[in-house]
Amino acid sequence: MADLKDFAEQLVNLTVKEVNELADILKDEYGIEPAAAAVAVAGGGAAAGGDAEAAEEKSEFDVILTAAGGSKLAVVKLVKELTGLGLKDAKDIVDSAPKAVKEGVAKDEAEGIKKSLEEAGAEVELK
């Protein structure tokens, strides 16, 4: 049981880059699609954060792309990388802004995604 708690804590504390790497490994080696992996990781984070402090503070955030900005191509590539979607689906998200890029993610992950997208030139907000 302690091993599972340690594992859950490791999942909750993954960085955005580590989550993307995990999604790649799950897809390539085990045939599990990245979108399903992201839901599993986000779900694990919500389950592990069930103490009183987490209940008082918002624990899940939606990353909303409000505008692509000047370098649309860079933003499309980044959305593709962050979501694990195909190029067409990533472009559709960017073209239909404001649109959610990721939903129900932990605060640290949401802030990391926001920072990455803003560095690529996009306008992003967290809800």
Side-chain angles (χ1 to χ4, degrees), residues 78-118:
L78 186 57
V79 168
K80 178 183 179 290
E81 179 184 317
L82 291 170
T83 61
L85 295 171
L87 187 60
K88 182 184 182 316
D89 293 332
K91 183 181 180 298
D92 290 344
I93 288 175
V94 173
D95 287 342
S96 61
K99 182 85 171 174
V101 175
K102 287 267 193 164
E103 296 179 324
V105 295
K107 183 178 183 179
D108 291 341
E109 182 181 357
E111 288 174 349
I113 293 169
K114 179 181 179 189
K115 181 180 178 191
S116 297
L117 287 168
E118 286 176 341

Side-chain angles (χ1 to χ4, degrees), residues 45-82:
D51 60 5
E53 254 183 58
E56 293 174 15
E57 186 179 325
K58 185 174 179 180
S59 61
E60 291 186 349
F61 293 85
D62 296 341
V63 181
I64 310 295
L65 177 71
T66 56
S71 57
K72 183 177 170 183
L73 182 59
V75 174
V76 170
K77 287 180 179 180
L78 186 57
V79 168
K80 178 183 179 290
E81 179 184 317
L82 291 170

